[in-house]
Amino acid sequence: MISVQNLSVYFSEEPLFKEVSFVVSDTDRIGLVGKNGAGKTTLLKILSHKMQAEKGNIVISKGHRIGYLPQEMHVSSDKTVWDETLSAFSEVKQLEEKINNITHQIASVDDYESKEYLNLLENLSTLTHRLEYTGANQIESNTEKVLLGLGFSKNDFYRRMNEFSSGWQMRVALAKILLQHPEIILLDEPTNHLDIESIQWLENFLYNYYGAVILVSHDRAFLNKVCNRTVEITLGKIEDYNCNYSTYVERRKERIASQKQAFENQQKEIEAIENFIERFRYKATKAKQVQSRVKLLEKMDVIEVDEIDASKIHFLFPPAPNCNRVVFEAENLSKKYDTKEVLQNVNFAIENKEKIAFVGKNGEGKTTLMRILHHELQHTTGNLHRGEMVKIGYYAQNQNLLLDSKKTVFETMDDVAVGEIRTKIRGILGSFLFSNDDIDKKVSVLSGGEKARLALAKLLLEPYNVLLLDEPTNHLDMASKDVLKNALLRYNGTLIIVSHDRDFLQGLTDKVFEFRNKTVKVHLGDIQDYLDKTNLQSLQLLNTKTSDLQSTTTDSESDFKMQWEKQKQKDSSIRKLEKQIEKIENEIQTKEKLLEELNRKLCTPEHYAEEVNSGSLYNQYQSLQKEIAVLVEKWEKSSLEREAMKE
């Protein structure tokens, strides 16, 4: 499906990729991994033709289309969600026009044995299969299923796109890609914009998808569920593992250990050769041996060891100042947006030093309550009491978008810092992997992960006794998420966190606020305790009824589509076999002509006495007979296979 050959990409003079080659087959589920800056996003851009490589070739099977979802994008549309999503089906109209055109051409052909006629029939069959595969007769029902699966309610369908946040607009972009059913899907951090239920739906959709999927993600559970192959970008080259992420981690450790052993052995060999050269350099009797070893060193490929990336953020939150015993207390708290009620008569109390997780699907009011607690948003009715000594550090869900893109990294920190902490800005930025050169970069050129790290760094500029963190792990790599979790475990203030990452939440909180149907239900214990109580196998099944989950799993790929796709693959396999059979027949015909020529020579030995006497003619004759026998066996096997597939 995709063949990447000797791909090279250079940033300045250093190679990001150096003569990289790999193949993506029709049904691969590839997790693309590597340390920050390794080139994962760059590779996706190159595969999607959004960027050109300096050297190398990328060959994509004819007729195979690519659907690409970048990590960040700006959607500008004043259409409704429904109309914008339906724009994904422009291909259907094009297919219908092509089918009508070919049908008219077929009607005008008189010679039914001509190559032109057969080509028209083949094209018509391919286009018809494609039209059925896109679900042309089920456009509206499929659109509804995908939008519901990605978290939209039916009431959202006819709201304008510009009424939604960038995250929700990204969901529409993802919906359009899934509905187009491209043969190749490229996704760069798709879970950043999804809630727990939507991630579960997307996992099932991609798991059952009849096409290739290549994705970048820092969500371990998502990678393990979706991917059956892991491709690592390291030291400018590709390491390919035919396994999911967890198995890859173990195999990578084994590979690096083996590399280190081979490297050490090679270094010993090099040292021994260099000692020999130095010892006998000026002895005439050893000149040949010395020159031989010099050439050996010049030709030797030095083994490189893929060191595990040790560059990760390291920090601790400042000690929390003294605080009231009760941090927040709500009585019959409600919130409405115009006529839409999000929270209704909510009651709770949050005490100092509690660690609380807000969980629930998007739209249930988690972020709304966060903003109300931060006094960024006013509640509609009821009461909310906040302790007088409460000092809040707030990380918004779209925090990286709130940064001023025109400022530098240093200016972003310096504009907020006051007092003595200003002298420590460079040190704080260094602990978040911003080097001396990086601090002068504009925010606009930072990656999503770098923006997230910068937003977290701002929380260290002064001490807080309450941290409100809304999806802080978005865009963070796995190592950074682990460091953030360890810092939060050691934080001695009150923590309230929204996250859909089960691995990140595990063991971090001691209380769960479950948001459902405009209310908040409190569960004691951490996430695992909550899961055990509610008999859920995964936090990603939160609020998903069994019947809904079964229907979405079925909806992702209907039996009808599966049958058409299987038929398409079957037809493609038959065509490949027929080409293979034709090739074998041509080879047999060529070799039989050579055999006839040798037979003629053997029948007239007087003209070829030297070749006959040496036995070379007879040896050639026997060799050709064996080659023909092997080809005939291959022909019979392929022919039987073709007939079996047709039946």
Side-chain angles (χ1 to χ4, degrees), residues 56-90:
N57 297 310
I58 297 177
V59 180
I60 299 175
S61 299
K62 185 178 179 181
H64 283 40
R65 300 167 314 122
I66 291 176
Y68 171 54
L69 183 76
Q71 191 175 126
E72 293 180 358
M73 64 186 296
H74 300 287
V75 181
S76 178
S77 173
D78 59 357
K79 295 180 180 179
T80 64
V81 168
W82 183 258
D83 288 340
E84 179 65 29
T85 309
L86 285 180
S87 68
F89 293 99
S90 58

Side-chain angles (χ1 to χ4, degrees), residues 150-153 156 159 164 168 171 194-198 335 337 340-343 359-368 397 498 515-519 543:
L150 291 176
F152 289 95
S153 67
D156 294 328
R159 291 173 57 193
F164 290 89
W168 282 95
R171 293 189 192 209
L194 303 178
D195 56 31
I196 293 162
E197 184 176 349
S198 300
K335 175 60 183 176
Y337 290 103
K340 183 180 179 181
E341 191 165 38
V342 180
L343 298 172
V359 298
K361 62 183 180 180
N362 282 4
E364 292 287 355
K366 302 186 301 296
T367 296
T368 295
Q397 187 178 91
V498 177
F515 287 69
R516 187 201 293 257
N517 299 328
K518 305 175 188 176
T519 62
N543 292 334

